[in-house]
Amino acid sequence: MAASRTPAKFYSPLAIGAPEPYRALPVRLERMIHFVPPHNEKIRSKIKDIAGQVDVVLGNLEDAIPADQKQAARAGFIAMARDNDFGSTGLWTRINCLNSPWMLDDVTEIVAQVGNKLDVIMLPKVEGPWDIHYLDQLLAQLEAKHSVSKPILIHAILETAEGVNNVEAIAAASPRMHGMSLGPADLAASRGMKTTRVGGGHPDYGVLADAGSDAAAKRAFYQQDLWHYTVGKMVDACLAYGLKPFYGPFGDFSDAAACEAQFRNAFLQGCLGAWSLHPSQIDIAKRVFSPDDKEVAFAKRILEAMPDGTGAVMIDGKMQDDATWKQAKVIVDLARVVAAKDPEKAAAYGL
Ligand code: GLV
Ligand code: MG
């Protein structure tokens, strides 16, 4: 068995003066992680407006930011964090990856200047628990040095073949772990997949129906979800350790229907949100990652019919027992978190 810390050490701060790690994640609604390029002044000037429409604002410093704009993006993020009150909206940043020339300054400058405003650092291209341990220790030292009062969490992007292999050890690496996002674009490259897309399906990935007796008849072809396996593996690793799983980016902004279908598959499999890279994807994520009104109504009926969560009852011809009671509770608990933020949904849910 690999050596691991004792429970007491696992939950101790990694630097004298750093805040105590959380024992359970703070309850927050994170249906969409909205990416903004912080070096863009026009976007920065609208950040108050944007923050009011989304659950999480993320200042992106990594891929999609040109090399000659990396420092401007970091400075822009610090200004954006310092000059705005984000209220109940989460404030995250995606730093550059560990072997890049920018990562160390990203972390040290951001924690020094706006560490008390930052909720989560998204770490790209995580390959194993060693990546988390390094950032965990560094953050504890910086938190102590700069009197940061609550722990800054780590969200890993699962986007290399090695990372997928080690997904469970990554989830288990630290109480600082918030969750994970699937990064389908880098993962496709790392795995040698034969695609040129940022997430979503592929028209050639599917199954062909059996040939019937009429040899000339056209056989149906059903496209499949390319990400099903990885999302399932990530959801199991995350939920086993009390972390939050997310679908990542969907790059075809012109295909809202396909984006919605990809997000919904992830939601049904257990994910709690996805990235919005374009304003049009904010409402898609809001719609998909807020439980459906009818599902909530049915889930409430299950909970009401089984007050202590045991036994079996029939509702509309369908058997309910302890296990469906637990499913219903997942849906109603999430609906309550949505309702607390969104009065319209609260009314639709009757909560
Ligand atoms: C996200 O970073 C991706 O590579 O898909
Ligand atoms: Mg990536």
Side-chain angles (χ1 to χ4, degrees):
M1 201 181 96
S4 56
R5 289 193 183 102
T6 62
K9 284 272 171 61
F10 186 76
Y11 283 110
S12 297
L14 294 180
I16 297 165
E20 292 274 336
Y22 292 120
R23 295 277 171 147
L25 288 176
V27 176
R28 301 198 70 158
L29 188 61
E30 292 163 338
R31 294 167 296 184
M32 76 296 296
I33 302 163
H34 188 66
F35 273 54
V36 297
H39 57 299
N40 182 321
E41 234 172 280
K42 200 166 141 221
I43 292 201
R44 271 207 326 271
S45 71
K46 291 195 287 196
I47 209 69
K48 253 208 150 45
D49 246 22
I50 295 171
Q53 293 164 36
V54 302
D55 297 337
V56 174
V57 171
L58 177 145
N60 178 29
L61 310 183
E62 199 224 11
D63 291 359
I65 306 298
D68 63 358
Q69 296 292 313
K70 291 288 188 187
Q71 280 166 10
R74 185 192 304 142
F77 177 73
I78 290 168
M80 187 181 114
R82 193 186 47 222
D83 300 342
N84 293 281
D85 176 6
F86 288 84
S88 66
T89 302
L91 179 64
W92 297 23
T93 182
R94 178 170 78 166
I95 58 173
N96 288 286
C97 62
L98 287 162
N99 64 0
S100 75
W102 307 290
M103 182 271 176
L104 186 62
D105 290 341
D106 287 347
V107 178
T108 50
E109 289 183 26
I110 287 171
V111 178
Q113 300 200 46
V114 291
N116 271 309
K117 286 214 152 167
L118 187 64
D119 294 303
V120 177
I121 287 182
M122 183 182 274
L123 183 64
K125 301 175 179 72
V126 173
E127 309 237 79
W130 49 86
D131 291 341
I132 305 299
H133 293 153
Y134 168 73
L135 182 57
D136 193 11
Q137 183 74 63
L138 178 61
L139 281 173
Q141 292 170 327
L142 292 169
E143 285 168 345
K145 178 170 177 180
H146 301 293
S147 306
V148 174
S149 57
K150 63 175 176 51
I152 297 165
L153 297 174
I154 301 174
H155 181 101
I157 311 182
L158 196 59
E159 55 181 352
T160 66
E162 191 177 358
V164 175
N165 259 349
N166 293 322
V167 65
E168 197 182 325
I170 293 167
S174 163
R176 204 187 277 283
M177 283 299 293
H178 164 277
M180 284 179 214
S181 289
L182 169 72
D186 270 301
L187 183 55
S190 169
R191 275 181 177 160
M193 289 169 66
K194 309 305 178 289
T195 54
T196 52
R197 300 171 170 219
V198 177
H202 191 285
D204 295 341
Y205 186 78
V207 290
L208 189 63
D210 282 5
S213 50
D214 176 1
K218 189 167 163 37
R219 293 161 65 182
F221 177 83
Y222 301 98
Q223 198 177 320
Q224 306 284 297
D225 183 351
L226 263 180
W227 305 107
H228 177 82
Y229 154 77
T230 318
V231 169
K233 192 165 170 163
M234 176 182 73
V235 167
D236 282 343
C238 283
L239 273 289
Y241 289 93
L243 312 184
K244 297 172 80 168
F246 293 71
Y247 177 79
F250 190 93
D252 186 352
F253 304 151
S254 69
D255 196 346
C259 176
E260 182 155 347
Q262 186 71 66
F263 283 8
R264 187 158 284 115
N265 283 357
F267 176 67
L268 288 170
Q269 272 192 279
C271 290
L272 288 163
W275 302 0
S276 47
L277 298 184
H278 186 270
S280 64
Q281 296 180 334
I282 295 171
D283 279 343
I284 299 174
K286 223 177 249 184
R287 193 160 55 242
V288 170
F289 293 101
S290 306
D292 177 70
D293 300 353
K294 287 200 193 79
E295 284 281 42
V296 173
F298 191 69
K300 281 167 67 186
R301 285 175 67 197
I302 298 173
L303 297 187
E304 279 154 20
M306 298 171 58
D308 70 355
T310 70
V313 296
M314 297 297 290
I315 301 179
D316 300 345
K318 300 177 184 73
M319 198 244 352
Q320 313 297 331
D321 67 2
D322 308 49
T324 51
W325 185 91
K326 288 176 195 154
Q327 291 174 47
K329 190 160 172 345
V330 167
I331 291 178
V332 174
D333 285 351
L334 177 58
R336 282 188 204 288
V337 181
V338 173
K341 172 145 180 171
D342 183 340
E344 235 170 75
K345 287 309 266 180
Y349 294 154
L351 289 170

